[in-house]
């Protein structure tokens, strides 16, 4: 059962999303045979969230030196996941310098502050998932990405600042869905996983709010139509049949 204190966090998430996670997905995701798939994909999602935040800063907010520092920060994680280099011990990995906002982007400092915190949290969560994999004697293996993020990004406009607004809205939906799914899984998993998923709710809820707030500020106007479009797109991806089972996949189809 979810703790009563979780409800204030989840209420705006559930109002923002256009649908709840289908029970069919929960049943498949919590089946013991699929534990490794869900945990490995969860780890991948945490790293991808950090990469997305890094891309936003490198594209819009930092100078060359800052960009290089960001690349160096994530390199040990990417080497481990994509190249099989190094170990899963990232205790000494840190951002090497203070990032300075690009004067051409007035929201640069705010973007940096929010995205640096997001990256720190997502990388910490990534490390935690690796530790859980080890606890369950599950080897980390390569796993293909779901259609989810790709399906969302297909709706992103190509001109600025609309492109940035849309990417931030996508980020809000991805974080909101992650939060909603963690909460949905808690009653159906063991104590270790349940406590871990509960521990993620607060940060995921804040990430959702940060992305949405930045989208509104970058736009400087009403973004409700774009929020509606991406909400409908996101719900279609969640509710439609999906041949893959992943953390953000749709209704299992022949899984």
């Amino acid at each position: 059962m979810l703790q009563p204190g979780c409800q204030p966090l989840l209420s705006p998430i559930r109002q923002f999303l256009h649908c709840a996670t289908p029970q069919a997905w929960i049943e498949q995701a919590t089946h013991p045979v699929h534990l490794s798939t869900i945990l490995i994909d969860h780890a991948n999602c945490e790293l991808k969230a950090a990469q997305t935040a890094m891309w936003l800063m490198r594209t819009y907010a930092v100078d060359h030196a800052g960009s290089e520092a960001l690349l160096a920060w994530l390199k040990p994680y990417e080497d481990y996941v994509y190249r099989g280099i190094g170990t899963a011990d990232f205790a000494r990995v840190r951002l090497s310098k203070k990032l300075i906002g690009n004067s051409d982007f007035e929201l640069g400092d705010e973007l940096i502050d929010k995205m640096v915190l997001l990256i720190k949290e997502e990388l910490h969560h990534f490390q935690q998932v690796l530790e859980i994999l080890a606890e369950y004697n599950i080897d980390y293996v390569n796993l293909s990405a779901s259609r989810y993020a790709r399906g969302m990004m297909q709706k992103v406009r190509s001109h600025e600042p609309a492109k940035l607004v849309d990417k931030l809205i996508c980020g809000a939906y991805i974080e909101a869905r992650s939060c909603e799914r963690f909460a949905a899984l808690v009653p159906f998993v063991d104590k270790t996983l349940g406590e871990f998923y509960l521990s993620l709710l607060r940060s995921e809820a804040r990430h959702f709010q940060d992305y949405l707030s930045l989208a509104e500020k970058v736009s400087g106007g009403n973004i409700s139509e774009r929020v509606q479009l991406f909400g409908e797109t996101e719900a279609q991806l969640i509710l439609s049949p999906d041949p893959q089972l992943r953390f953000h996949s749709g209704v299992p189809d022949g899984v």
Side-chain angles (χ1 to χ4, degrees), residues 105-107 157 161-162 165 168 212-223:
F105 182 42
E106 63 177 343
L107 294 172
R157 293 168 290 185
V165 171
L168 291 167
L212 195 59
S213 172
L214 282 167
E216 291 170 343
K217 291 178 180 179
V218 170
S219 172
N222 190 321
I223 62 171

Side-chain angles (χ1 to χ4, degrees), residues 10 13 46 61 65 81 84 90 111 121 138 165 177 182-183 193 210 215 217 219 230 246:
L10 292 170
I13 294 284
E46 299 290 1
V81 171
F90 306 105
L111 180 68
E121 291 177 333
I138 297 171
V165 171
R177 180 59 64 187
F182 290 136
L193 282 180
D210 284 347
K217 291 178 180 179
S219 172
F230 283 105
R246 297 290 188 268

